[in-house]
Amino acid sequence: MADIHKLEKIAKLIRYWSLVSTTEAGSGHPTSSLSAADLMTGLLFGGAFRFDADNPKHPNNDRLIFSKGHASPLFYSLWLAAGKVTGQEMMTLRKFGSPLEGHPTPAFTYTEAATGSLGQGLSIGVGMALNAKYLDKLPYRTYVLLGDSEMAEGSQWEAMEIAAFYKLDNLVGVLDVNALGQRGETMYGHDLDVYKKRVSAFGWEPIVIDGHHLPQILTAYEQAGRVHDKPVMIIAKTEKGKGVSFIEGKNGWHGKALKKDELLRALEELGPLDITVRGEMQRPDDLKPENRKPEKAKPLSYAWDKPVSTRHAYGTALERLYPQYPDIVVLDAEVSNSTFAEIFKKTWPDRFFEMYIAEQNMVGAGLGLSLRGKVAFVSTFAAFLTRAFDQIRMSQYSDSNIKFCGSHAGVSIGVDGSSQMGLEDIAMFRTILNSVVLYPSDAVSAEKLVEEAAKHKGIVYLRTTREDTPIIYRNDEVFRIGGSKVLKRNTKDVATVVAAGITLHEALAAYEELKKDGIFIGVIDLYSIKPIDVQTLTKAALDTGMTITVEDHFPEGGINEAVRSALAGVPVAIHSLAVRNMPKSGQPRELLDYEEISRKSIIKKVKEIL
Amino acid sequence: MADIHKLEKIAKLIRYWSLVSTTEAGSGHPTSSLSAADLMTGLLFGGAFRFDADNPKHPNNDRLIFSKGHASPLFYSLWLAAGKVTGQEMMTLRKFGSPLEGHPTPAFTYTEAATGSLGQGLSIGVGMALNAKYLDKLPYRTYVLLGDSEMAEGSQWEAMEIAAFYKLDNLVGVLDVNALGQRGETMYGHDLDVYKKRVSAFGWEPIVIDGHHLPQILTAYEQAGRVHDKPVMIIAKTEKGKGVSFIEGKNGWHGKALKKDELLRALEELGPLDITVRGEMQRPDDLKPENRKPEKAKPLSYAWDKPVSTRHAYGTALERLYPQYPDIVVLDAEVSNSTFAEIFKKTWPDRFFEMYIAEQNMVGAGLGLSLRGKVAFVSTFAAFLTRAFDQIRMSQYSDSNIKFCGSHAGVSIGVDGSSQMGLEDIAMFRTILNSVVLYPSDAVSAEKLVEEAAKHKGIVYLRTTREDTPIIYRNDEVFRIGGSKVLKRNTKDVATVVAAGITLHEALAAYEELKKDGIFIGVIDLYSIKPIDVQTLTKAALDTGMTITVEDHFPEGGINEAVRSALAGVPVAIHSLAVRNMPKSGQPRELLDYEEISRKSIIKKVKEIL
């Protein structure tokens, strides 16, 4: 049993640094840190947490995620108490260039994932726990510190239900019920029974404790370690600002650092402090996952004469490539028979996780898996990826390796109508720092780009089409991120049509029609929208003086604006064919015409220009 | 008590049309429609639902929302049974130009809100119920048909918790537990107890029934009408495809229309049908809300010498304007002391709803409120509006009137760091069809634009800044949607700097510095990013030959790309200063320099160009 007296000293040290660092910074969240100080001290130094701090990436380390990321002063102080951060470093909190940012980021060695947008940590934990239980088959546990206010986020309940469904008994939520949100009391205050009932109803094992009573805290972690087949939620009654009487449990102190005079009063209250005390963490067993040896994937063998949808190619690509990329794991949100992730699932069921209709959690879990070394492919309809934009946004601030696939792009999905049409997804993914945005037009390029995505380190978005489309490329064609394909080119070109996906086929059809009238157009397959092939686009623009972009996407933020940015400074007229009318149900052909992104519209536009 | 026999005939009619219309369309979701046919027949024609079908917008009509929007054949068939849709019209299901789209849209008269992206209907219902109970003070009820698969969506649990918190006993969920999702069994199949426990834990009153037993169904609606202070969830055990033996309860039939021969078999099974049977709906009491008379709002009275943040101006504007726009209602997600929605809340607490940390539900509720005639202002940090992109996206397909305010835009929020920085929000809102995107630079223009937003019919996004910024405009200055302000202009201008929000002040500071060196730049305040002032931008571009955009936003989809699109065809060089480096904690000034969007960077860029 741990030395309670020593743990109390460590908790006091942590309170000290949480207060001092935020006062030095002039901002931060000391009261949110103080409420969880005992919970976290008990976890890291009371014997439950098994972590080799000299090897933070060790595959069998327990994981600690601060879903309530604003408690970063607590987070950094814990690692100071572990001997890994100095007092001098603590004083750089929130300063420009310091790894101790306002909310935890990978700039700080021990951050598992960037947090700070509330309600996302539990999903990341689900990913890490799925990895431990089903993929790496290692005994590490994942602990997630949760705030009570953020339990209002639906994403947390997605994580809850999926964790219970997958029997993640290696996942422990630590719920810091301090009853005060940012602007006032939470909906339930200190009514722990509300949380207990909900947590139980969602299939978790609740353990209710006084969050400032170290013996109870330690017992809770021990109990948690003995629960089988269910995740555990430690529901801890705490006081925001605990340890400093004039802020303890008082509204109005969220996100406020103490002023210097207030700090002095607070430190007086804390009393005598052993500033040198440090805690010991248990070491994990030195276990590593068994890694599958890569074997070369089968090559492509598409026949010229059989159209295949790029969404189908996504599925066959994953299924074919997995042996060569054995870190791949695939997630889908109840639409795998539409995205064709099911093709992968049928052959490699142990590497596939059904995430049900809960896209936010799916993305968070994908992040968690990728942070544990997996190459996470995450799919649903392009339109429904917007459900998880905040999770996608936050994933860019971690060292993530997630490949998103959005199917059913554009109005060309047809009769299902607007709710199912992805029309803003290219814009969404283009905003992600250093993202790769790919939009293959045929099954060959789709499979090749899935492989490029698998090889690439970072966030990739692959947009796929519902309709079967003709094979354009040879099975041995090479596609690279940042490349494009010039499919038609002639010195007589009056314009260059830049398209991708479904509209690339429209452009090729327009080419054939116009040729009959003796009019030639260049056609470029812009399968890599980001990074974009500036060189090829520039050359074509200069040669023809006229660029027409055609996209099954809204006008803003998509292919046209990407091309405009790429052609900055090039003296060329750039025209935009895109979805400008209210989308609706109809046959794909009718809708492409209605939205003026069809072969007819391309022909019309070219003739207009002439 | 209703005539059960007649209701059975109506239910059969509805099954008939659900099957026939989807077979005719060659697509659609008949099995999802059949499972809820009895539930909905009992609701509309069994006496519970009070609706004047000749006045669908009557303020005291009960509301019916199909959260499971794919059951649209059922929805349209119900209105056929009510005598408002003909058989001929049913046969146009999913055809281009028909109001009977694949998922319900406002093209069809009785659609309350466009649905089809699952898990959003309950939030819309929350908005309508809040309206009934607290604003209009009318006795109408809001019924939401829910699928079991979509209860995996976290957004539904946000709606559940908020509905219980606000004691919405005028909200009734009808949960169609047919146990089969799109690609297989749901997580819980027919285990109704799971739903019952969760629903109870979330503070709702559960009523568990056999979803095909009309007497039980009718009793459930009666019971629901007698529950006080809690919303009600009718949990109905159903069979997908009920009524047709070879599809009933069988996997693999989601989203599949019957082929012609299958349809014939199915209709044989349905048996003799009275194709002329129609149902009667109860009429609502002819009650109308008491509308407050508009009174002129107090005018602005900002002093020149006191900087005020635009986020603060958002709050004071709403507070000041409400008497003149008494349909305004304000929602915020636990950050009202940061967005300053709290200023409105203090004066008009009856028109403010705290929505807690649950942005998805907040947006859905805002939609619901706006559909009932309110002007809904919905605020949180710009970054956190990405949490609700799917709800924002769907709201464009309804006749919505929502004004979004995203505060804490950009890196200039400072030390809190990347998780809190809105850097993709302009791109997100620009993709919304017919959206208005506004980004005021000072408190005067912020207040004026809040008023323009209130007057405008449709979706508006207002981006606000954390920092206090100087007052630039006179209190009587006029701002219009689609306008801009030329703040500096000289025939000697070597470039035009186009900026908004915080960077507008950087541009003005750069102007003063450059002037000392005898270099002149034009400065345009692009407070209306969409629609954009093409004319003014074009003139300035032609006059100076050089346009530099500066934005506290990622490069994609924001001000620069909006300006490029606006200046299509204008021979001008356009340069982009935007956030291109990994955002991090730091002082605002440090971050503006680091991201090269500061006055120093503008000066440097201008000198580079020369």
Side-chain angles (χ1 to χ4, degrees):
Chain A
M1 183 70 173
D3 180 348
I4 298 283
H5 183 61
K6 184 177 185 193
L7 291 175
E8 284 169 352
K9 287 170 72 173
I10 293 171
K12 185 183 286 197
L13 179 78
I14 277 162
R15 288 191 156 85
Y16 170 83
W17 281 112
S18 297
L19 290 161
V20 166
S21 64
T22 47
T23 295
E24 169 69 16
S27 67
H29 301 75
T31 55
S32 308
S33 299
L34 262 43
S35 58
D38 306 299
L39 290 165
M40 291 293 101
T41 299
L43 173 61
L44 261 62
F45 308 113
F49 201 64
R50 303 156 300 180
F51 194 93
D52 179 355
D54 298 315
N55 289 298
K57 299 290 180 203
H58 193 291
N60 198 32
N61 276 342
D62 284 345
R63 323 309 319 181
L64 172 59
I65 296 162
F66 263 44
S67 187
K68 53 176 281 183
H70 52 289
S72 54
L74 166 62
F75 187 66
Y76 303 137
S77 300
L78 283 166
W79 292 102
L80 178 148
K84 292 299 182 184
V85 176
T86 66
Q88 211 169 356
E89 286 168 335
M90 280 304 297
M91 297 302 261
T92 69
L93 175 71
R94 295 173 152 245
K95 287 186 174 20
F96 181 73
S98 166
L100 276 58
E101 297 202 47
H103 295 73
T105 68
F108 181 74
T109 306
Y110 300 96
T111 302
E112 294 286 351
T115 51
S117 182
L118 294 171
Q120 299 194 20
L122 201 55
S123 296
I124 301 169
V126 164
M128 295 188 168
L130 282 172
N131 179 62
K133 183 158 183 148
Y134 295 104
L135 301 175
D136 284 3
K137 298 192 166 69
L138 292 176
Y140 73 80
R141 274 199 204 92
T142 301
Y143 295 88
V144 184
L145 178 64
L146 302 156
D148 49 353
S149 293
E150 63 166 336
M151 294 312 287
E153 284 288 13
S155 47
Q156 304 280 53
W157 300 96
E158 292 181 15
M160 300 279 291
E161 80 203 348
I162 296 296
F165 182 77
Y166 281 107
K167 301 189 180 344
L168 296 178
D169 47 14
N170 57 351
L171 179 63
V172 179
V174 183
L175 181 53
D176 174 7
V177 184
N178 65 26
L180 291 172
Q182 168 165 325
R183 39 86 251 144
E185 222 200 15
T186 63
M187 279 186 272
Y188 316 111
H190 272 134
D191 186 351
L192 302 189
D193 207 54
V194 168
Y195 296 102
K196 186 178 179 186
K197 280 204 176 79
R198 292 183 185 192
V199 153
S200 304
F202 269 68
W204 284 50
E205 183 70 25
I207 300 175
V208 182
I209 60 168
D210 173 345
H212 299 301
H213 191 253
L214 275 161
Q216 279 190 41
I217 291 170
L218 297 178
T219 303
Y221 291 126
E222 268 177 77
Q223 268 182 268
R226 291 195 300 269
V227 171
H228 291 294
D229 289 342
K230 294 174 110 174
V232 174
M233 184 69 74
I234 296 170
I235 302 169
K237 182 177 183 195
T238 61
E239 295 289 338
K240 204 159 176 171
K242 175 74 174 181
V244 178
S245 66
F246 57 91
I247 61 178
E248 200 174 298
K250 295 194 168 46
N251 196 16
W253 276 96
H254 179 88
K256 281 199 171 64
L258 270 60
K259 298 192 179 58
K260 286 203 151 73
D261 57 303
E262 291 165 338
L263 175 66
L264 287 169
R265 281 170 55 204
L267 296 184
E268 258 177 53
E269 271 193 41
L270 278 191
L273 170 76
D274 179 359
I275 205 156
T276 66
V277 70
R278 295 294 182 264
E280 313 268 311
M281 283 189 297
Q282 293 294 310
R283 291 288 176 105
D285 293 328
D286 188 22
L287 301 170
K288 302 231 158 63
E290 274 186 47
N291 281 330
R292 221 188 130 107
K293 279 183 75 123
E295 310 160 16
K296 196 124 181 60
K298 296 200 195 77
L300 292 184
S301 57
Y302 280 96
W304 279 117
D305 57 352
K306 187 173 173 301
V308 176
S309 64
T310 55
R311 61 170 170 139
H312 190 270
Y314 171 76
T316 51
L318 287 175
E319 195 265 351
R320 182 178 60 81
L321 289 167
Y322 171 68
Q324 191 167 333
Y325 300 89
D327 287 331
I328 284 177
V329 61
V330 177
L331 310 183
D332 191 274
E334 183 71 55
V335 286
S336 59
N337 56 337
S338 296
T339 58
F340 286 113
E342 71 173 0
I343 298 174
F344 175 91
K345 178 176 83 170
K346 285 201 180 87
T347 308
W348 311 110
D350 296 343
R351 303 296 294 194
F352 176 86
F353 293 98
E354 178 56 63
M355 301 305 275
Y356 297 93
I357 308 183
E359 296 81 9
Q360 293 184 93
N361 180 67
M362 175 172 72
V363 173
L367 174 61
L369 283 158
S370 83
L371 293 171
R372 300 314 320 129
K374 304 301 175 286
V375 178
F377 278 83
V378 169
S379 58
T380 182
F381 282 35
F384 306 146
L385 284 171
T386 61
R387 196 61 156 264
F389 190 14
D390 199 11
Q391 283 79 0
I392 293 165
R393 177 184 79 88
M394 283 305 295
S395 75
Q396 76 190 311
Y397 300 129
S398 294
D399 298 320
S400 53
N401 197 22
I402 316 173
K403 323 303 171 179
F404 296 94
C405 180
S407 71
H408 292 69
V411 298
S412 50
I413 69 162
V415 291
D416 264 355
S418 51
S419 62
Q420 317 289 300
M421 296 170 171
L423 293 165
E424 52 284 291
D425 51 307
I426 297 176
M428 178 170 77
F429 278 101
R430 282 185 67 235
T431 67
I432 302 297
L433 264 177
N434 304 317
S435 61
V436 170
V437 178
L438 306 171
Y439 187 13
S441 59
D442 85 333
V444 169
S445 50
E447 293 225 18
K448 298 282 171 142
L449 290 173
V450 168
E451 183 164 11
E452 291 306 303
K455 294 191 312 205
H456 177 81
K457 287 273 169 279
I459 294 170
V460 180
Y461 175 55
L462 203 94
R463 188 183 214 229
T464 66
T465 302
R466 178 178 176 264
E467 294 250 281
D468 291 333
T469 43
I471 304 297
I472 298 177
Y473 299 105
R474 294 162 49 111
N475 286 308
D476 61 0
E477 189 78 40
V478 172
F479 292 83
R480 54 175 193 84
I481 289 169
S484 65
K485 294 286 183 190
V486 177
L487 296 182
K488 300 292 178 194
R489 190 169 152 55
N490 191 305
T491 48
K492 300 192 225 148
D493 289 340
V494 299
T496 303
V497 177
V498 177
I502 193 90
T503 56
L504 191 272
H505 299 273
E506 296 302 300
L508 290 173
Y511 168 87
E512 297 297 336
E513 264 315 294
L514 287 165
K515 197 166 110 175
K516 293 178 189 163
D517 291 342
I519 303 171
F520 288 86
I521 53 169
V523 177
I524 293 177
D525 179 358
L526 197 72
Y527 65 82
S528 180
I529 298 171
K530 181 184 179 185
I532 198 167
D533 192 350
V534 179
Q535 196 173 30
T536 302
L537 288 169
T538 302
K539 186 175 192 321
L542 291 171
D543 287 350
T544 57
M546 173 81 55
T547 297
I548 303 168
T549 63
V550 195
E551 59 193 300
D552 198 351
H553 186 274
F554 284 135
E556 297 89 357
I559 292 176
N560 181 263
E561 293 192 346
V563 169
R564 284 189 194 280
S565 289
L567 292 177
V570 177
V572 60
I574 306 172
H575 294 266
S576 159
L577 298 179
V579 172
R580 291 185 159 83
N581 300 312
M582 175 61 76
K584 50 171 80 170
S585 282
Q587 292 302 319
R589 178 67 29 213
E590 290 173 314
L591 294 172
L592 289 171
D593 282 332
Y594 164 67
E595 294 295 355
E596 297 180 273
I597 55 174
S598 64
R599 55 199 67 182
K600 280 206 293 198
S601 311
I602 295 169
I603 292 165
K604 183 171 170 227
K605 183 57 121 182
V606 170
K607 289 184 168 173
E608 253 173 45
I609 292 167
L610 289 178
Chain B
M1 182 70 174
D3 178 350
I4 298 284
H5 182 62
K6 184 176 185 192
L7 291 175
E8 285 170 350
K9 290 171 72 174
I10 294 172
K12 185 184 285 197
L13 178 79
I14 278 162
R15 288 190 157 86
Y16 170 84
W17 281 112
S18 296
L19 290 162
V20 167
S21 65
T22 48
T23 295
E24 169 68 16
S27 67
H29 302 74
T31 55
S32 309
S33 300
L34 262 44
S35 59
D38 306 298
L39 289 165
M40 291 294 101
T41 299
L43 173 61
L44 260 63
F45 308 114
F49 201 65
R50 302 156 300 180
F51 194 92
D52 179 353
D54 298 315
N55 290 296
K57 298 289 179 205
H58 193 291
N60 199 31
N61 276 341
D62 284 344
R63 325 306 321 181
L64 171 60
I65 296 162
F66 264 45
S67 187
K68 54 176 281 183
H70 52 288
S72 54
L74 167 61
F75 187 66
Y76 304 137
S77 302
L78 283 165
W79 292 102
L80 178 148
K84 292 299 181 186
V85 176
T86 67
Q88 211 168 356
E89 285 167 334
M90 280 304 298
M91 297 301 262
T92 69
L93 175 71
R94 299 177 148 242
K95 287 186 174 18
F96 182 74
S98 166
L100 276 58
E101 297 201 48
H103 294 74
T105 68
F108 181 74
T109 305
Y110 300 99
T111 302
E112 293 288 349
T115 51
S117 182
L118 294 171
Q120 300 193 20
L122 201 54
S123 296
I124 302 169
V126 164
M128 296 188 169
L130 282 173
N131 179 63
K133 183 158 184 150
Y134 296 104
L135 300 174
D136 283 3
K137 298 190 167 66
L138 292 176
Y140 71 81
R141 274 197 205 94
T142 301
Y143 296 87
V144 185
L145 177 64
L146 302 156
D148 48 354
S149 294
E150 65 166 335
M151 294 312 288
E153 283 289 12
S155 47
Q156 303 281 52
W157 299 96
E158 293 181 15
M160 300 279 290
E161 81 204 346
I162 297 295
F165 181 78
Y166 281 107
K167 300 185 178 353
L168 297 177
D169 47 14
N170 57 351
L171 180 62
V172 180
V174 182
L175 181 53
D176 174 6
V177 185
N178 65 26
L180 292 174
Q182 167 165 326
R183 40 86 251 143
E185 222 200 16
T186 63
M187 279 187 271
Y188 315 113
H190 272 135
D191 185 352
L192 303 189
D193 207 53
V194 168
Y195 296 103
K196 185 178 180 186
K197 279 204 176 80
R198 291 182 187 196
V199 153
S200 304
F202 270 67
W204 284 50
E205 183 69 26
I207 301 174
V208 181
I209 59 167
D210 173 344
H212 299 300
H213 191 253
L214 274 161
Q216 279 190 40
I217 291 169
L218 298 178
T219 303
Y221 291 128
E222 266 178 78
Q223 267 181 269
R226 291 196 299 270
V227 171
H228 291 294
D229 289 341
K230 295 174 111 174
V232 174
M233 183 69 74
I234 296 170
I235 301 168
K237 183 178 183 193
T238 62
E239 296 289 340
K240 203 157 176 172
K242 176 74 174 178
V244 179
S245 67
F246 58 92
I247 59 178
E248 199 173 299
K250 294 193 168 47
N251 196 17
W253 275 98
H254 177 90
K256 283 199 170 64
L258 272 58
K259 298 192 179 59
K260 285 204 154 71
D261 57 303
E262 291 165 337
L263 175 65
L264 287 171
R265 281 169 56 203
L267 296 184
E268 258 179 55
E269 271 194 39
L270 278 191
L273 169 76
D274 178 358
I275 205 157
T276 66
V277 71
R278 295 293 183 265
E280 312 268 310
M281 283 190 298
Q282 292 295 310
R283 291 288 175 105
D285 293 330
D286 188 22
L287 300 170
K288 302 232 160 62
E290 274 186 47
N291 281 330
R292 221 188 128 109
K293 280 183 75 121
E295 310 160 15
K296 196 128 182 58
K298 295 197 194 78
L300 291 183
S301 58
Y302 281 96
W304 279 116
D305 57 354
K306 188 173 172 302
V308 177
S309 65
T310 55
R311 61 170 170 138
H312 190 270
Y314 170 76
T316 51
L318 287 176
E319 194 266 351
R320 181 178 61 82
L321 291 166
Y322 171 69
Q324 189 167 335
Y325 301 89
D327 287 331
I328 283 176
V329 62
V330 177
L331 310 182
D332 191 274
E334 183 69 56
V335 286
S336 58
N337 56 338
S338 296
T339 58
F340 286 113
E342 70 173 1
I343 299 174
F344 175 90
K345 177 175 85 170
K346 284 202 181 86
T347 309
W348 312 110
D350 296 340
R351 302 295 297 194
F352 177 86
F353 293 99
E354 178 56 63
M355 300 307 275
Y356 297 93
I357 308 183
E359 297 81 8
Q360 293 185 95
N361 180 67
M362 175 172 72
V363 172
L367 174 60
L369 283 157
S370 84
L371 292 171
R372 302 312 321 127
K374 302 301 174 285
V375 178
F377 278 83
V378 168
S379 57
T380 183
F381 282 34
F384 307 146
L385 283 172
T386 61
R387 196 61 156 263
F389 189 14
D390 199 11
Q391 282 78 2
I392 294 166
R393 176 184 79 88
M394 283 304 295
S395 75
Q396 77 191 308
Y397 300 130
S398 296
D399 297 320
S400 52
N401 197 22
I402 316 173
K403 324 300 170 181
F404 297 94
C405 179
S407 69
H408 292 69
V411 299
S412 50
I413 68 163
V415 292
D416 264 355
S418 53
S419 61
Q420 318 288 299
M421 296 169 171
L423 294 164
E424 53 283 290
D425 50 309
I426 296 176
M428 178 170 78
F429 278 101
R430 282 185 67 235
T431 68
I432 303 297
L433 264 178
N434 303 319
S435 62
V436 170
V437 178
L438 305 171
Y439 187 12
S441 59
D442 84 335
V444 169
S445 51
E447 292 223 19
K448 298 282 173 144
L449 291 172
V450 168
E451 183 164 12
E452 291 307 303
K455 293 190 315 205
H456 178 80
K457 287 276 168 279
I459 294 170
V460 179
Y461 175 55
L462 202 95
R463 188 183 215 229
T464 65
T465 302
R466 177 177 176 264
E467 294 250 282
D468 290 333
T469 43
I471 303 297
I472 298 178
Y473 298 106
R474 295 163 47 110
N475 285 308
D476 61 0
E477 190 78 40
V478 172
F479 293 82
R480 55 176 191 84
I481 289 169
S484 65
K485 294 286 182 190
V486 177
L487 295 183
K488 299 293 179 195
R489 188 170 153 55
N490 191 305
T491 47
K492 301 192 224 148
D493 288 341
V494 300
T496 303
V497 177
V498 179
I502 192 91
T503 56
L504 192 270
H505 298 275
E506 296 303 302
L508 289 173
Y511 168 88
E512 296 298 337
E513 263 314 296
L514 287 164
K515 197 165 109 174
K516 293 178 190 165
D517 292 341
I519 302 169
F520 288 86
I521 53 170
V523 177
I524 293 178
D525 180 358
L526 198 72
Y527 65 80
S528 179
I529 299 172
K530 182 184 177 184
I532 199 168
D533 192 350
V534 179
Q535 196 172 29
T536 301
L537 288 169
T538 302
K539 185 177 192 324
L542 290 171
D543 287 348
T544 57
M546 173 79 57
T547 297
I548 302 169
T549 63
V550 195
E551 58 193 300
D552 198 350
H553 185 275
F554 285 135
E556 297 89 358
I559 291 176
N560 181 263
E561 292 191 347
V563 169
R564 284 191 194 280
S565 290
L567 293 177
V570 177
V572 60
I574 306 172
H575 294 266
S576 159
L577 297 178
V579 173
R580 289 186 160 82
N581 299 312
M582 175 61 76
K584 52 170 80 167
S585 284
Q587 292 302 319
R589 177 66 31 211
E590 290 173 313
L591 295 172
L592 290 171
D593 282 333
Y594 164 68
E595 294 294 356
E596 298 181 271
I597 55 173
S598 63
R599 54 198 69 181
K600 279 207 294 199
S601 311
I602 296 170
I603 292 165
K604 184 170 168 229
K605 184 56 122 181
V606 171
K607 290 184 167 171
E608 254 174 43
I609 292 167
L610 289 179

